[in-house]
Amino acid sequence: MNTTRILTLLRTCTGSKSLKEGKIIHQKVVTLGLQNNIALCKSLINLYFSCQNYDYAMLVFKTIDNPLDLSLWNGLMASYTRNYMYINALELFDMLLQNPYLKPDSYTYPSVLKACGGLGSVGIGKMIHTHLIKTGFLLDVVIASSTAGMYAKCNSFECAVKMFDEMSERDVASWNTVISCYYQDGQAEKALELFKKMRDSGFQPNSVTLTTVISSCARLMDLERGKEIHKEFIKDGFVSDSYISSALVDMYGKCGCLEMAREVFEQTVLKSVVAWNALIAGYSSRGDSKSCVELFWRMNEEGIKPTLTTISSVLMSCSRSGQLKHGKVMHGYIIRNKIQGDGFINSSLIDLYFKCGRVSSAENVFEKMSKTDVVYWNVMISGYVTVGDYFKALAIYSDMKEVGAKPDAVTFTSVLPACSQLAALEKGKEIHNHIIENKLETNEIVMGALLDMYAKCGAVDEAFKVFNELPERDLVSWTSIITAYGSHGRALEALKLFGEMQQSNTRPDSITFLALLSACSHAGWVDEGGYYFNQMISEYNIKPRNEHYSCLIDLLGRAGRLQEAYGILQSTPEIREDAGLLSTLFSACRLHRDIEMREKIAKLLIEKDPDDSSTYIVLSNMYASVKKWDEVRKIRLKMKELGLRKNPGCSWIEIGDRIQPFFAEDKLHPQADMVYECLAILAGHMEKDELLPS
């Protein structure tokens, strides 16, 4: 059997990955004494690498008496790097350097540099770079490009760009490296600028280039530029592969152009899991759970196994759209297929159930989760706040500390709104101490939430102290502190702060003006309120919302300018029949005992919302105050006919580190008997005081 025949058989075995037959041929090579034949050795090494039998490949190399063919060394090194065996590649390179008869050439260094990049060994890479400068190999465009690529893989982007800038000659790979560097470094705009320079320099982009620049458009949400690049490569006759198609689907999906995303997806012959995920994520961002679930099942039918990313995207779409049915289908799929969900999937499930009002289901999912993972605690706290169960949000925060789970920035920004809503100042101060313990005083979002908590709890001085300690003041922090001063009767300071905000070049928004109008309303400053209302419209082009009109009407109402307030309502079509604004004016009429206007507005409110008990109750009390008992009886009878009753009031107090809630006629509180006994004693004392002569 001659060498040519053996080489043909070895190539056949390599193509079909027939290890058993290949070993028989290897045995024949040894029997014929051809183990030093370089061509045969190369083919045997390729065979063993194709069958992932790496030890045998190295054994073939070691059995050569005196391997003086450099191409053999280079081939083995390239095979190691192709198979991510970077340490083996560098060890072989070290052996080559110690060989007295051989020296690395221009085919050696690309593999060595790739191995350095794969390992992130920038130190070794720099040593090789220095050696290349000394030996002059850096003038080779492939080696120079590989050096830039090595720095990019080691996240040394500055070195990669510097290397690229110093190259006298460039190839497509070097352009791709530096474009990718800018993209990975978050400089998508710079990546697109460089792509333009590449085209202007006469280079034709390849799949890697186009994938990166399309991804850059997606990151910038630049639909027009993405469309332009897509159109250009179609015009140039460039055949789109699965990488480009996936990038296009992702770009169109993120830019909200789902029709184009779907079109590109359907035209793709071999749809990768990345393309499926990109399209599902696009529909998920729109909250279209129906399309997400349909794509998910179609994906299964076409034999593409969904990843955790797929499931997470579908669950997020169900959560956004509040589609409990679709969410339950996905939960069932996870259980049936025994999928071990990651933090994203489990937290998405909890979030879904909270968003759909199924608190017990969210709690059941949480009970099965690891109690050391802060992500699950965070989503539970956030969930309770979302459904308005602030007591449970604070309780679970306490449970979290007891099991030793370490809170993070998200924990604090989630739990502080619960304190805000309950005006639980002492609990808020306790959480403030925990923030300091966790060294998060420089976190802008956490400190912003803390500022908001102090402001809403009426601790204005503490809020101002936090405001002064903020690393950077943004629109939210300025608005929070203005709200704090304005809502607690310190309108002058609120307006002064607004002046400082304007000087800091922070542009106010509609919420800032709402805080200003509220401050003027609390202070009874009618003219100032009117001034800021007009400034919002004329200087900042902000269209007033119902909340702004509510403040203006409240301001005029408190000042007794009821006809003026009613005139604004009647002259503005979009707010003319708004129940909330009518209620605001209704309260003002009560304050100024304007029974005639009050009756007029009450009729409008009852027409608008006949099931709202509060209007009937306020109207009844108004008639009672002027001793119109027949009218009182009529209203009470009407309420009885409609089955309306006043919702029980709720109040709470902080005792130590616990918050105790109480509802009207509450018998469920564990210490209810003692509370009612105390109330009876207090009532007795009050009656005695009333009987005492003044």
Side-chain angles (χ1 to χ4, degrees):
M1 188 183 288
N2 62 21
T3 306
T4 308
R5 176 69 178 146
I6 295 169
L7 281 170
T8 305
L9 290 169
L10 281 172
R11 287 193 194 102
T12 305
C13 291
T14 301
S16 59
K17 296 182 182 179
S18 306
L19 182 61
K20 188 180 175 183
E21 289 78 2
K23 281 184 175 180
I24 293 167
I25 297 165
H26 187 181
Q27 192 177 20
K28 189 72 176 173
V29 168
V30 174
T31 306
L32 293 168
L34 297 170
Q35 63 269 27
N36 289 320
N37 185 294
I38 298 301
L40 290 172
C41 287
K42 284 181 183 177
S43 283
L44 281 167
I45 288 168
N46 288 338
L47 164 74
Y48 287 125
F49 265 102
S50 72
C51 298
Q52 297 180 351
N53 202 324
Y54 309 121
D55 292 339
Y56 270 58
M58 190 59 184
L59 199 63
V60 170
F61 179 78
K62 285 183 176 178
T63 53
I64 301 169
D65 291 340
N66 196 9
L68 293 178
D69 190 306
L70 187 57
S71 65
L72 186 68
W73 292 77
N74 290 343
L76 184 56
M77 223 176 289
S79 295
Y80 276 137
T81 54
R82 269 197 303 272
N83 288 276
Y84 311 105
M85 300 171 72
Y86 303 122
I87 292 171
N88 302 67
L90 291 179
E91 285 173 353
L92 188 64
F93 177 64
D94 191 50
M95 285 170 60
L96 177 61
L97 292 175
Q98 291 171 35
N99 192 305
Y101 305 106
L102 293 172
K103 283 185 179 180
D105 65 3
S106 58
Y107 294 99
T108 313
Y109 289 109
S111 297
V112 177
L113 289 162
K114 188 179 177 183
C116 292
L119 293 168
S121 302
V122 72
I124 299 170
K126 280 183 176 179
M127 286 167 60
I128 293 165
H129 185 184
T130 305
H131 174 72
L132 292 170
I133 293 167
K134 289 176 182 174
T135 54
F137 274 115
L138 212 57
L139 296 171
D140 185 300
V141 66
V142 177
I143 293 175
S145 183
S146 299
T147 307
M150 177 273 296
Y151 282 125
K153 287 278 168 61
C154 293
N155 293 324
S156 295
F157 298 138
E158 283 184 21
C159 293
V161 173
K162 190 172 182 287
M163 180 70 238
F164 176 79
D165 290 340
E166 290 172 357
M167 288 172 68
S168 55
E169 188 186 345
R170 292 163 182 167
D171 59 2
V172 173
S174 63
W175 282 99
N176 287 348
T177 296
V178 79
I179 289 168
S180 180
C181 277
Y182 282 121
Y183 172 74
Q184 289 174 59
D185 197 37
Q187 298 185 62
E189 189 62 55
K190 193 78 177 171
L192 291 172
E193 282 175 23
L194 210 67
F195 171 66
K196 187 178 183 302
K197 282 184 184 176
M198 176 188 180
R199 295 297 301 268
D200 292 344
S201 301
F203 287 92
Q204 193 66 27
N206 61 14
S207 171
V208 176
T209 327
L210 291 169
T211 302
T212 308
V213 295
I214 292 164
S215 298
S216 297
C217 293
R219 186 171 287 177
L220 293 167
M221 304 284 279
D222 193 338
L223 179 62
E224 290 311 309
R225 203 144 26 154
K227 277 183 175 179
E228 193 181 309
I229 292 165
H230 186 188
K231 199 186 291 180
E232 274 180 21
F233 80 70
I234 289 172
K235 190 176 75 179
D236 293 345
F238 195 92
V239 180
S240 179
D241 62 14
S242 63
Y243 295 105
I244 296 172
S245 296
S246 299
L248 281 168
V249 172
D250 181 60
M251 185 270 293
Y252 283 123
K254 281 179 179 166
C255 293
C257 191
L258 285 168
E259 296 76 17
M260 277 301 295
R262 191 69 180 245
E263 189 181 314
V264 172
F265 177 80
E266 297 299 353
Q267 287 172 358
T268 306
V269 180
L270 294 170
K271 299 175 178 70
S272 67
V273 72
V274 178
W276 285 96
N277 286 349
L279 188 61
I280 289 170
Y283 282 111
S284 177
S285 64
R286 193 185 273 184
D288 186 351
S289 59
K290 185 174 180 287
S291 296
C292 286
V293 172
E294 284 173 358
L295 281 165
F296 178 81
W297 291 121
R298 183 182 153 192
M299 184 181 185
N300 277 273
E301 286 164 11
E302 293 189 19
I304 305 293
K305 190 178 179 183
T307 63
L308 295 178
T309 304
T310 322
I311 297 165
S312 182
S313 290
V314 179
L315 284 171
M316 281 168 70
S317 74
C318 299
S319 182
R320 284 190 180 107
S321 60
Q323 283 290 338
L324 182 64
K325 185 182 173 184
H326 292 152
K328 279 187 167 182
V329 167
M330 291 306 300
H331 194 179
Y333 176 87
I334 292 164
I335 294 166
R336 284 194 309 276
N337 290 276
K338 297 176 182 175
I339 294 167
Q340 292 297 314
D342 59 5
F344 285 111
I345 286 179
N346 295 326
S347 56
S348 294
L349 271 172
I350 295 168
D351 182 60
L352 163 76
Y353 285 124
F354 269 118
K355 292 271 175 67
C356 295
R358 297 298 179 96
V359 177
S360 58
S361 298
E363 289 168 341
N364 289 338
V365 174
F366 176 70
E367 284 307 312
K368 296 180 179 73
M369 300 299 110
S370 164
K371 297 299 179 287
T372 56
D373 195 332
V374 69
V375 172
Y376 305 135
W377 291 98
N378 289 348
V379 78
M380 286 299 289
I381 293 167
S382 177
Y384 282 127
V385 170
T386 302
V387 297
D389 197 339
Y390 308 116
F391 296 110
K392 274 199 175 176
L394 292 175
I396 205 159
Y397 172 72
S398 299
D399 293 344
M400 175 187 180
K401 288 191 297 164
E402 282 175 21
V403 300
K406 187 179 169 65
D408 60 10
V410 178
T411 316
F412 294 120
T413 51
S414 299
V415 77
L416 282 166
C419 298
S420 303
Q421 293 298 324
L422 296 172
L425 181 59
E426 293 308 312
K427 191 71 180 176
K429 284 180 177 179
E430 181 193 316
I431 292 167
H432 188 175
N433 289 332
H434 298 159
I435 290 167
I436 294 166
E437 286 167 17
N438 286 274
K439 296 180 172 60
L440 288 167
E441 311 101 293
T442 56
N443 187 299
E444 288 175 36
I445 298 169
V446 171
M447 295 309 282
L450 188 66
L451 165 62
D452 186 64
M453 182 277 296
Y454 278 128
K456 285 179 179 166
C457 290
V460 182
D461 294 332
E462 284 91 340
F464 192 64
K465 190 181 174 187
V466 171
F467 178 74
N468 281 332
E469 290 171 359
L470 285 175
E472 196 173 321
R473 294 168 184 177
D474 60 4
L475 173 64
V476 175
S477 57
W478 278 107
T479 303
S480 293
I481 196 65
I482 290 167
T483 305
Y485 277 109
S487 58
H488 292 92
R490 294 166 72 172
L492 195 61
E493 288 102 318
L495 301 190
K496 186 185 171 188
L497 279 163
F498 178 66
E500 289 176 21
M501 176 186 177
Q502 287 177 308
Q503 286 172 6
S504 72
N505 293 323
T506 305
R507 185 180 173 82
D509 66 357
S510 62
I511 299 166
T512 316
F513 278 104
L514 188 61
L516 289 168
L517 291 168
S518 179
C520 293
S521 181
H522 280 87
W525 294 350
V526 182
D527 293 336
E528 288 82 351
Y531 168 76
Y532 286 115
F533 187 85
N534 292 326
Q535 187 188 50
M536 174 180 75
I537 300 165
S538 59
E539 286 186 35
Y540 291 97
N541 297 317
I542 296 169
K543 188 181 178 184
R545 298 206 307 258
N546 281 20
E547 296 90 337
H548 300 100
Y549 282 112
S550 180
C551 276
L552 187 63
I553 288 163
D554 181 56
L555 185 61
L556 293 166
R558 282 173 191 249
R561 290 155 67 168
L562 303 175
Q563 290 297 335
E564 193 178 336
Y566 187 69
I568 289 169
L569 269 176
Q570 293 304 302
S571 63
T572 314
E574 58 264 32
I575 62 166
R576 188 178 294 154
E577 295 182 359
D578 186 271
L581 298 176
L582 287 166
S583 296
T584 303
L585 188 53
F586 187 60
S587 300
C589 294
R590 179 189 176 192
L591 183 70
H592 294 283
R593 298 179 178 273
D594 189 332
I595 294 170
E596 188 183 332
M597 185 175 283
R598 218 163 156 196
E599 283 180 328
K600 191 194 296 181
I601 295 168
K603 284 173 185 173
L604 288 170
L605 281 169
I606 289 166
E607 280 175 26
K608 203 78 180 131
D609 189 1
D611 297 328
D612 184 4
S613 62
S614 62
T615 307
Y616 293 95
I617 290 160
V618 173
L619 196 58
S620 169
N621 292 341
M622 179 193 76
Y623 285 131
S625 69
V626 292
K627 296 183 172 51
K628 288 191 174 184
W629 304 115
D630 288 340
E631 298 296 333
V632 171
R633 275 191 291 275
K634 282 178 189 175
I635 288 169
R636 295 287 177 181
L637 190 63
K638 184 72 175 175
M639 283 181 73
K640 197 173 181 181
E641 284 173 11
L642 293 169
L644 300 176
R645 63 192 296 269
K646 187 180 178 183
N647 291 326
C650 175
S651 60
W652 53 88
I653 55 169
E654 283 186 84
I655 302 173
D657 61 347
R658 288 180 66 83
I659 297 167
Q660 301 281 356
F662 299 94
F663 290 89
E665 299 178 14
D666 186 6
K667 296 282 196 289
L668 297 174
H669 194 279
Q671 293 172 294
D673 293 340
M674 187 179 75
V675 170
Y676 282 112
E677 191 179 329
C678 286
L679 276 172
I681 294 165
L682 285 168
H685 282 297
M686 287 160 70
E687 282 174 13
K688 284 177 187 175
D689 287 347
E690 282 179 5
L691 293 169
L692 288 172
S694 55

